[in-house]
Coordinates of all heavy atoms in Angstrom, one line a residue:
R371 N -30.8 11.1 -6.5 CA -31.5 9.8 -6.5 C -32.1 9.5 -5.1 O -33.2 8.9 -5.0 CB -30.5 8.7 -6.9 CG -30.2 8.6 -8.3 CD -29.3 7.4 -8.6 NE -29.0 7.3 -10.0 CZ -29.8 6.6 -10.9 NH1 -30.8 6.0 -10.4 NH2 -29.4 6.5 -12.1
V390 N -43.7 8.6 -14.4 CA -42.3 8.8 -14.3 C -41.8 9.2 -15.7 O -42.2 8.6 -16.7 CB -41.6 7.5 -13.9 CG1 -40.1 7.6 -13.9 CG2 -42.1 7.0 -12.6
I391 N -41.0 10.3 -15.8 CA -40.4 10.7 -17.0 C -38.8 10.6 -16.8 O -38.3 11.3 -16.0 CB -40.8 12.1 -17.4 CG1 -42.3 12.2 -17.6 CG2 -40.1 12.5 -18.7 CD1 -42.8 13.6 -17.9
L392 N -38.2 9.8 -17.6 CA -36.7 9.8 -17.6 C -36.2 10.5 -18.9 O -36.8 10.2 -20.0 CB -36.2 8.4 -17.6 CG -36.5 7.5 -16.4 CD1 -35.8 6.1 -16.5 CD2 -35.9 8.2 -15.1
L393 N -35.3 11.5 -18.7 CA -34.9 12.2 -19.9 C -33.4 12.3 -19.9 O -32.7 12.3 -18.8 CB -35.5 13.6 -19.9 CG -35.3 14.5 -18.7 CD1 -34.8 15.8 -19.1 CD2 -36.6 14.6 -17.9
D394 N -32.8 12.4 -21.1 CA -31.4 12.4 -21.2 C -31.0 13.4 -22.3 O -31.7 13.5 -23.4 CB -30.9 11.0 -21.6 CG -29.4 10.9 -21.7 OD1 -28.8 11.5 -22.6 OD2 -28.8 10.3 -20.8
S434 N -30.6 12.4 -11.9 CA -30.3 11.1 -11.4 C -28.8 10.7 -11.7 O -28.3 9.7 -11.3 CB -31.2 10.0 -12.1 OG -31.2 10.2 -13.5
E438 N -28.5 12.8 -17.1 CA -29.8 12.1 -16.9 C -30.6 12.7 -15.8 O -30.1 13.0 -14.8 CB -29.5 10.6 -16.6 CG -28.8 9.9 -17.7 CD -28.5 8.4 -17.3 OE1 -28.9 8.1 -16.2 OE2 -27.9 7.7 -18.1
F439 N -31.9 12.9 -16.1 CA -32.8 13.6 -15.2 C -34.1 12.8 -15.1 O -34.4 11.9 -15.9 CB -33.2 15.0 -15.7 CG -32.0 16.0 -15.6 CD1 -31.0 15.9 -16.6 CD2 -31.9 16.9 -14.6 CE1 -29.9 16.8 -16.5 CE2 -30.8 17.8 -14.5 CZ -29.8 17.7 -15.5
M440 N -34.9 13.1 -14.0 CA -36.1 12.4 -13.8 C -37.2 13.3 -13.3 O -36.9 14.3 -12.5 CB -35.9 11.3 -12.7 CG -37.2 10.5 -12.4 SD -36.9 9.4 -10.9 CE -35.6 8.3 -11.5
S476 N -34.1 13.2 -25.3 CA -34.8 11.9 -25.5 C -35.5 11.6 -24.2 O -34.9 11.6 -23.1 CB -33.8 10.8 -25.8 OG -33.2 11.1 -27.1
L477 N -36.8 11.2 -24.2 CA -37.6 11.1 -23.0 C -38.3 9.8 -23.1 O -38.9 9.4 -24.1 CB -38.5 12.2 -22.8 CG -37.9 13.7 -22.8 CD1 -38.0 14.3 -24.1 CD2 -38.7 14.5 -21.7
G478 N -38.4 9.1 -21.9 CA -39.2 7.9 -21.8 C -40.2 8.1 -20.7 O -39.9 8.6 -19.6
V479 N -41.5 7.7 -20.9 CA -42.5 8.0 -20.0 C -43.2 6.6 -19.6 O -43.4 5.8 -20.4 CB -43.6 8.9 -20.6 CG1 -44.7 9.2 -19.5 CG2 -43.0 10.2 -21.1
A480 N -43.4 6.4 -18.3 CA -44.1 5.3 -17.8 C -45.0 5.7 -16.6 O -44.9 6.8 -16.1 CB -43.1 4.2 -17.3
H481 N -45.9 4.7 -16.2 CA -46.9 5.1 -15.1 C -47.0 4.0 -14.1 O -46.9 2.8 -14.5 CB -48.2 5.4 -15.8 CG -49.2 5.9 -14.8 ND1 -50.0 5.1 -14.0 CD2 -49.6 7.2 -14.5 CE1 -50.8 5.8 -13.3 NE2 -50.6 7.1 -13.6
S485 N -48.3 1.1 -16.2 CA -47.2 0.4 -16.9 C -46.8 -0.9 -16.2 O -46.5 -1.9 -16.9 CB -46.0 1.3 -17.0 OG -46.3 2.5 -17.7
I489 N -42.9 -1.1 -8.8 CA -42.3 0.2 -9.0 C -41.0 0.1 -9.8 O -40.7 0.8 -10.7 CB -42.1 1.0 -7.7 CG1 -43.5 1.5 -7.2 CG2 -41.2 2.2 -7.9 CD1 -43.4 2.2 -5.9
E490 N -40.2 -0.9 -9.4 CA -38.9 -1.1 -10.0 C -39.0 -1.4 -11.5 O -38.2 -1.0 -12.4 CB -38.0 -2.2 -9.4 CG -38.6 -3.6 -9.4 CD -39.5 -3.9 -8.2 OE1 -40.0 -2.9 -7.5 OE2 -39.8 -5.0 -7.9
M491 N -40.2 -2.1 -11.9 CA -40.4 -2.4 -13.3 C -40.9 -1.2 -14.0 O -40.7 -1.0 -15.2 CB -41.4 -3.5 -13.4 CG -40.9 -4.9 -12.8 SD -39.3 -5.4 -13.5 CE -39.8 -5.6 -15.2
V492 N -41.6 -0.3 -13.3 CA -42.1 1.0 -13.9 C -40.8 1.8 -14.3 O -40.8 2.4 -15.4 CB -43.0 1.7 -12.9 CG1 -43.3 3.1 -13.4 CG2 -44.3 1.0 -12.6
L493 N -39.9 1.9 -13.4 CA -38.7 2.7 -13.7 C -37.9 2.0 -14.8 O -37.4 2.7 -15.7 CB -37.8 2.7 -12.4 CG -38.4 3.5 -11.2 CD1 -37.4 3.4 -10.0 CD2 -38.6 4.9 -11.6
R494 N -37.9 0.7 -14.9 CA -37.2 0.0 -16.0 C -38.0 0.3 -17.3 O -37.3 0.5 -18.3 CB -37.2 -1.5 -15.7 CG -36.5 -2.3 -16.8 CD -36.3 -3.7 -16.4 NE -35.5 -3.9 -15.2 CZ -35.2 -5.1 -14.7 NH1 -35.7 -6.2 -15.3 NH2 -34.4 -5.2 -13.6
S495 N -39.3 0.3 -17.2 CA -40.1 0.6 -18.4 C -39.8 2.0 -19.0 O -39.6 2.2 -20.2 CB -41.6 0.4 -18.2 OG -41.9 -0.9 -17.8
A496 N -39.7 3.0 -18.0 CA -39.4 4.3 -18.5 C -38.0 4.4 -19.1 O -37.7 5.1 -20.1 CB -39.5 5.3 -17.3
D497 N -37.0 3.6 -18.5 CA -35.7 3.6 -19.0 C -35.6 2.9 -20.4 O -34.9 3.4 -21.3 CB -34.8 2.8 -18.0 CG -33.3 2.9 -18.4 OD1 -32.8 4.0 -18.4 OD2 -32.7 1.8 -18.6
Q498 N -36.4 1.9 -20.6 CA -36.4 1.2 -21.9 C -37.0 2.1 -22.9 O -36.6 2.2 -24.1 CB -37.2 -0.1 -21.8 CG -36.5 -1.2 -21.0 CD -37.3 -2.4 -20.8 OE1 -38.5 -2.4 -21.0 NE2 -36.7 -3.5 -20.2
A499 N -38.1 2.9 -22.5 CA -38.7 3.8 -23.4 C -37.7 4.9 -23.8 O -37.7 5.4 -25.0 CB -40.0 4.4 -22.8
L500 N -36.9 5.4 -22.8 CA -35.9 6.4 -23.1 C -34.9 5.9 -24.2 O -34.6 6.6 -25.1 CB -35.1 6.7 -21.8 CG -33.9 7.6 -22.0 CD1 -34.1 8.9 -22.6 CD2 -33.2 7.7 -20.6
Y501 N -34.4 4.7 -24.0 CA -33.5 4.1 -24.9 C -34.1 3.8 -26.3 O -33.4 3.9 -27.3 CB -32.8 2.9 -24.4 CG -31.7 3.3 -23.4 CD1 -31.9 3.3 -22.1 CD2 -30.4 3.6 -23.9 CE1 -30.9 3.7 -21.2 CE2 -29.4 4.0 -23.0 CZ -29.6 4.0 -21.7 OH -28.7 4.4 -20.8
Q502 N -35.4 3.6 -26.3 CA -36.1 3.4 -27.6 C -36.1 4.8 -28.3 O -36.0 4.8 -29.5 CB -37.5 2.9 -27.3 CG -38.3 2.6 -28.6 CD -39.6 2.0 -28.4 OE1 -40.0 1.7 -27.2 NE2 -40.4 1.9 -29.4
A503 N -36.3 5.8 -27.5 CA -36.3 7.2 -28.2 C -35.0 7.5 -28.8 O -34.9 8.1 -29.8 CB -36.7 8.2 -27.1
K504 N -33.9 7.0 -28.1 CA -32.6 7.2 -28.6 C -32.4 6.4 -29.9 O -31.8 6.9 -30.9 CB -31.5 6.9 -27.6 CG -31.4 7.8 -26.5 CD -30.3 7.4 -25.5 CE -30.0 8.5 -24.4 NZ -29.5 9.7 -25.0
R505 N -32.8 5.2 -29.9 CA -32.7 4.3 -31.1 C -33.5 4.9 -32.3 O -33.1 4.6 -33.4 CB -33.1 2.9 -30.7 CG -32.1 2.2 -29.8 CD -32.4 0.7 -29.8 NE -33.7 0.4 -29.2 CZ -33.9 0.2 -27.9 NH1 -32.9 0.2 -27.1 NH2 -35.1 -0.1 -27.5
V512 N -41.0 8.8 -26.0 CA -41.6 7.5 -26.2 C -42.3 7.1 -24.9 O -41.8 7.2 -23.8 CB -40.5 6.4 -26.5 CG1 -41.2 5.0 -26.5 CG2 -39.9 6.7 -27.8
I513 N -43.6 6.7 -25.0 CA -44.4 6.3 -23.9 C -44.5 4.8 -23.7 O -44.8 4.1 -24.7 CB -45.8 6.9 -24.0 CG1 -45.8 8.4 -24.0 CG2 -46.7 6.4 -22.8 CD1 -47.2 9.1 -24.3
A514 N -44.1 4.3 -22.6 CA -44.1 2.9 -22.3 C -45.5 2.3 -22.5 O -46.5 2.9 -22.1 CB -43.5 2.5 -21.0

Side-chain angles (χ1 to χ4, degrees):
R371 283 183 178 272
V390 179
I391 302 175
L392 294 182
L393 56 130
D394 187 286
S434 54
E438 298 177 358
F439 292 78
M440 179 190 299
S476 296
L477 303 96
V479 184
H481 187 275
S485 297
I489 289 180
E490 62 270 19
M491 297 305 297
V492 173
L493 297 176
R494 181 175 297 180
S495 297
D497 188 60
Q498 292 174 349
L500 167 63
Y501 280 94
Q502 185 178 352
K504 286 183 175 293
R505 288 193 296 271
V512 174
I513 298 177

